[in-house]
Amino acid sequence: MKVTFYIIPQSFCAKGVSLCSVINSVYAFLSEYSTIDSFNDENEIIVDDNIYEAILPNGMTLGEYAYNISDAEGEERDLKSSLQRILQRHSKKITIEQICKQIDENSINGCVGVISMVPIEGIADKSQIVYDKSSWYDFRRYHLGLFHGEAEYFIDECRKFYPNMFFHDHNKDSVGNILKSFARTIIFHLNGIHDILPDLMEKHPGFNQTDLLRELSDKAKFPEVATPEGGGNKKYMKFAFKPDNGEKNIDVLCELHAKLCYDDSNDGKYHKDKRIYFHKGRKDIAGGRILIGHIGKHL
């Protein structure tokens, strides 16, 4: 899905925000910029022609700040040079009203959003990436939940936007059984596993799997605690993964599972037979990434 991100004057202007806060957000944006740009067939950044007139908290225009490098040194000079290059890319005249109209037309065929250093009034939260509070991954994942397509497309997109996960091809068969009703729920649980689990494993190396999943579920706000498999069906939870050394496949037990208790309808109905089965990762497979063995019905 092609996404067009706009950078507009309002991306740098807000009452009650310090210049330091805006600059820190610029640093956060620049840290992700190369990754955004690497998906050049799917991510386009367009800069409003009036961007240079944006007024920063210190009263200076963005153009004055970005091109005043005479006294800048080190990181600040690098930041201003990077900012200049970005502001000079594809540009056009665009208003918030025009952007909102395009957002209303978002679909699997294309989406529009805004990149900003501060929250912008008049743009829905989910339609703007506000650094350093959110990430372009948040935007892409959220819209994948809305415009999930078919199973193969969905898993291929997940592989792009969850860089610390490795999705077994089996998921292309299994997720189709629940995708239409559970796409946003799946995204919510993948977000928790991807974004929180690695840090927990680093901070709590002594945790057993049950304790680890309990802490994960609490921090990720899962509706029910994720657990290891406690029954006798473990043979169905083994999936063949190719090791990094290129030798024959290794069967990996993906017994850890997050429970997808509620679908996307918000009807409150409890589901006890939908799961994400995963392994927390092995150093010899997929560079140690979390292994997603099965998304779908209870094994």
Side-chain angles (χ1 to χ4, degrees):
M1 177 175 62
K2 177 72 173 289
V3 173
T4 298
F5 293 113
Y6 289 107
I7 300 178
I8 58 180
Q10 292 88 339
S11 297
F12 295 86
C13 306
K15 294 180 180 179
V17 178
S18 69
L19 177 64
C20 181
S21 177
V22 172
I23 298 307
N24 285 340
S25 295
V26 173
Y27 275 117
F29 166 52
L30 292 177
S31 71
E32 285 197 338
Y33 173 74
S34 61
T35 307
I36 299 172
D37 204 41
S38 68
F39 288 84
N40 55 3
D41 293 335
E42 300 182 41
N43 293 333
E44 179 182 24
I45 295 177
I46 295 179
V47 179
D48 188 310
D49 280 344
N50 297 316
I51 194 69
Y52 297 104
E53 304 308 313
I55 304 297
L56 297 175
N58 64 351
M60 185 180 292
T61 68
L62 181 62
E64 290 170 338
Y65 173 81
Y67 285 89
N68 180 16
I69 60 173
S70 58
D71 297 327
E73 297 179 354
E75 289 185 359
E76 184 184 15
R77 190 179 186 90
D78 292 341
L79 177 142
K80 290 186 175 184
S81 296
S82 298
L83 197 53
Q84 289 175 26
R85 289 195 295 272
I86 293 170
L87 298 180
Q88 291 168 1
R89 60 182 300 156
H90 311 294
S91 62
K92 64 184 294 184
K93 291 183 178 180
I94 189 78
T95 66
I96 284 185
E97 291 73 22
Q98 290 172 317
I99 292 172
C100 288
K101 184 177 180 180
Q102 291 181 30
I103 289 172
D104 289 340
E105 298 171 354
N106 280 351
S107 72
I108 195 170
N109 297 316
C111 280
V112 164
V114 174
I115 290 174
S116 187
M117 310 306 121
V118 295
I120 300 176
E121 292 186 11
I123 301 288
D125 291 345
K126 295 298 185 180
S127 295
Q128 54 180 309
I129 306 170
V130 182
Y131 289 94
D132 55 355
K133 296 178 179 64
S134 56
S135 161
W136 81 283
Y137 283 119
D138 298 324
F139 182 99
R140 293 301 307 236
R141 295 170 189 173
Y142 173 77
H143 286 83
L144 177 57
L146 292 181
F147 311 117
H148 52 75
E150 300 299 325
E152 183 171 357
Y153 170 85
F154 181 77
I155 295 302
D156 284 342
E157 293 292 284
C158 283
R159 286 170 170 165
K160 299 172 187 175
F161 308 130
Y162 294 96
N164 294 325
M165 284 178 165
F166 185 89
F167 292 80
H168 195 284
D169 274 345
H170 165 80
N171 289 288
K172 293 183 177 181
D173 297 321
S174 65
V175 77
N177 295 316
I178 68 170
L179 185 58
K180 186 175 181 180
S181 299
F182 282 84
R184 295 196 298 276
T185 299
I186 292 168
I187 292 294
F188 173 77
H189 285 79
L190 288 176
N191 286 348
I193 297 168
H194 181 278
D195 297 342
I196 296 173
L197 183 58
D199 285 341
L200 288 180
M201 290 192 295
E202 183 176 345
K203 291 178 181 177
H204 305 287
F207 272 12
N208 60 38
Q209 293 196 133
T210 299
D211 291 339
L212 186 67
L213 294 180
R214 185 181 296 113
E215 187 74 6
L216 166 66
S217 303
D218 179 64
K219 290 188 176 299
K221 294 181 170 46
F222 291 163
E224 190 165 315
V225 176
T227 60
E229 174 58 31
N233 295 328
K234 292 189 178 184
K235 63 182 179 180
Y236 300 114
M237 300 169 192
K238 291 183 178 180
F239 299 92
F241 290 90
K242 192 174 186 63
D244 294 337
N245 63 16
E247 296 181 357
K248 65 179 183 178
N249 288 348
I250 298 173
D251 285 338
V252 178
L253 177 62
C254 296
E255 65 168 329
L256 309 184
H257 55 278
K259 301 165 185 177
L260 309 178
C261 303
Y262 303 99
D263 65 20
D264 299 341
S265 68
N266 293 319
D267 64 3
K269 180 181 177 181
Y270 180 85
H271 296 262
K272 60 180 180 180
D273 61 342
K274 312 295 189 299
R275 301 282 191 270
I276 298 176
Y277 290 88
F278 62 99
H279 186 280
K280 59 185 181 181
R282 292 177 44 144
K283 292 181 179 180
D284 58 338
I285 297 176
R289 285 180 282 173
I290 296 166
L291 306 176
I292 306 297
H294 173 93
I295 305 172
K297 293 185 177 180
H298 193 309
L299 293 175

